[in-house]
Amino acid sequence: MAWTKYQLFLAGLMLTTGSINTLSAKWADMFTARGCHDDSEHTFSHPFVQAVGMFLGEFSCLAVFYILVCHDRRSPEPKMNTGRSFNPLLFFPPAMCDMTATSIMYVALNMTSASSFQMLRGAVIIFTGLLSVAFLGRRLAFNQWLGIMITILGLVIVGLADFISGHKDDSHKLSDVITGDLLIIMAQVIVSVQMVLEEKFVYKHDVHPLRAVGTEGFFGFLVLTLLLIPMYFIHVGNFSDNPRHVLEDALDAFCQIGHQPLILLALLGNTVSIAFFNFAGISVTKEISATTRMVLDSLRTLVIWVVSLALDWEDFHGLQVLGFLVLLLGTSLYNGLHRPLLARIPCCAGMVTVDDESSPEERERLLGDGRVEASEDH
């Protein structure tokens, strides 16, 4: 069955805005400008300020939700399911996980390439699968265990590609690249905890996805904005690249934006794209399927890698291609994307059985990038 123009638009919107989200964040990291405390130019290294902008984008989904509700109520026959009433504080624990993971990933993005950043986020299925077994009582099918093993292999290949390229890369030290890669993988553990918390305590309340994303965005934006105050006074030495070597210097960030307005454009690109990405992702799941959303999210990695090469932000490495393909295979197996292909082969049709307990919708809850990435990613 052919897609409608609206479905094609949603798929294109999700792919485009999802790619812009990571690329704009990396673009901001590449600028140099004068700050408040000295006359020399330095790189824009403000991951926590960027994370605040991302949560502002998520928070805006709440406004979109209420606009859609008002529009629906004005129609003769309201059709929108707004969900049952719930305690917003249910979203506070997963929002704190989201805030922590996103901040760590933006720190890591300063240290590694945009393509490796996106590829390594595929590690989320490993930890989500294991935590769903431990805390949700799920039983993973053979193809899901195989997908996890193949994903681990893909992560090793991508890490090896970064290790080799780190010796030749003048923009990032090898130690920074390795640290960045490890931070991304560590962040996926926290993202997995967030997804399991949402599955166990939140989704049973039948909350509209846009409202869920917006509520988490509100908590993340509020708490991280307040945390910028103590971060201004916490000295972390050479771990920070800002002139005062504090955890985050928000004033320096605003001064750099004043001296280089294009930084603001990159930050706005990140904020606006995450809002549209969430809307498009939720709409793709509703109008097409959760499987299509997962495929588009994998294609997003390819787009980011190709654009990074075209802009000369990184060099071509054959191992990265191999790593991407292995990660794609692992993700596809975990999400059961092999089933429709096997079903079309007469000799294999009998082998296709639904032997796992989780439905596609349940897997979407556990693997959807809430910004996603549930976030995504984030």
Side-chain angles (χ1 to χ4, degrees):
M1 180 177 169
W3 284 6
T4 65
K5 290 182 179 179
Y6 180 60
Q7 289 173 330
L8 286 171
F9 168 74
L10 290 174
L13 183 65
M14 180 183 170
L15 186 60
T16 302
T17 54
S19 303
I20 289 174
N21 183 248
T22 298
L23 291 169
S24 60
K26 187 62 182 178
W27 187 35
D29 293 340
M30 299 176 72
F31 280 106
T32 59
R34 288 189 297 113
C36 305
H37 310 288
D38 57 9
D39 293 328
S40 61
E41 292 190 348
H42 54 275
T43 56
F44 185 83
S45 180
H46 298 283
F48 297 98
V49 171
Q50 285 181 289
V52 168
M54 192 281 296
F55 281 113
L56 180 60
E58 284 192 4
F59 183 23
S60 67
C61 289
L62 206 55
V64 174
F65 168 74
Y66 285 113
I67 290 171
L68 291 175
V69 169
C70 291
H71 181 267
D72 184 65
R73 286 176 178 173
R74 290 178 180 177
S75 63
E77 296 181 5
K79 299 178 181 178
M80 186 174 176
N81 178 20
T82 58
R84 294 177 293 180
S85 60
F86 65 98
N87 185 352
L89 290 176
L90 280 173
F91 286 93
F92 189 78
M96 293 303 96
C97 291
D98 192 5
M99 182 191 75
T100 305
T102 300
S103 299
I104 291 173
M105 285 192 283
Y106 277 131
V107 170
L109 188 56
N110 275 289
M111 302 177 175
T112 191
S113 64
S115 60
S116 293
F117 169 84
Q118 195 65 36
M119 289 181 194
L120 291 172
R121 290 177 71 177
V124 70
I125 70 168
I126 300 171
F127 306 111
T128 302
L130 296 177
L131 288 176
S132 67
V133 170
F135 297 103
L136 298 179
R138 287 267 161 76
R139 180 175 60 85
L140 297 184
F142 172 75
N143 64 282
Q144 291 176 309
W145 286 114
L146 182 60
I148 287 175
M149 294 298 106
I150 292 175
T151 299
I152 293 173
L153 176 62
L155 293 174
V156 171
I157 295 172
V158 172
L160 184 60
D162 280 348
F163 180 80
I164 295 172
S165 64
H167 287 290
K168 306 173 184 179
D169 188 2
D170 296 329
S171 59
H172 297 103
K173 293 187 295 184
L174 177 59
S175 59
D176 285 347
V177 172
I178 294 173
T179 302
D181 288 355
L182 291 175
L183 284 174
I184 295 167
I185 294 174
M186 184 176 75
Q188 302 320 301
V189 178
I190 302 172
V191 171
S192 301
V193 173
Q194 173 198 346
M195 291 180 178
V196 171
L197 285 173
E198 289 173 341
E199 174 74 5
K200 191 170 182 67
F201 300 110
V202 176
Y203 282 111
K204 63 183 180 182
H205 291 276
D206 188 28
V207 183
H208 191 279
L210 279 175
R211 193 178 187 184
V213 172
T215 305
E216 285 190 14
F218 166 74
F219 284 124
F221 175 75
L222 178 64
V223 173
L224 193 53
T225 300
L226 293 175
L227 286 177
L228 290 178
I229 299 172
M231 286 180 183
Y232 184 81
F233 300 100
I234 300 173
H235 289 268
V236 292
N238 292 329
F239 182 77
S240 174
D241 289 335
N242 59 65
R244 294 177 58 244
H245 298 293
V246 292
L247 192 56
E248 181 60 281
D249 191 340
L251 292 180
D252 184 67
F254 289 119
C255 288
Q256 285 191 287
I257 292 170
H259 290 124
Q260 176 52 275
L262 283 177
I263 298 175
L264 179 60
L265 180 62
L267 296 179
L268 286 175
N270 188 38
T271 300
V272 174
S273 64
I274 197 65
F276 279 98
F277 177 64
N278 277 291
F279 171 76
I282 291 166
S283 300
V284 164
T285 302
K286 179 182 177 182
E287 298 290 336
I288 310 174
S289 68
T291 301
T292 302
R293 181 176 179 177
M294 294 170 190
V295 171
L296 290 171
D297 205 44
S298 298
L299 288 176
R300 178 166 64 124
T301 304
L302 181 62
V303 171
I304 291 168
W305 180 61
V306 170
V307 172
S308 296
L309 288 175
L311 295 175
D312 202 27
W313 288 0
E314 55 186 274
D315 298 323
F316 177 83
H317 299 287
L319 270 180
Q320 264 199 331
V321 181
L322 178 61
F324 169 71
L325 293 175
V326 173
L327 285 171
L328 184 62
L329 175 61
T331 303
S332 300
L333 281 172
Y334 186 92
N335 292 314
L337 301 187
H338 64 291
R339 298 185 191 281
L341 296 177
L342 289 178
R344 294 187 178 187
I345 304 174
C347 63
C348 301
M351 298 169 58
V352 181
T353 58
V354 183
D355 54 351
D356 61 333
E357 295 178 349
S358 57
S359 66
E361 290 77 13
E362 288 173 324
R363 286 198 297 272
E364 170 65 15
R365 289 173 182 173
L366 280 173
L367 294 173
D369 187 338
R371 301 179 297 277
V372 104
E373 158 216 289
S375 358
E376 95 36 17
D377 166 200
H378 314 127

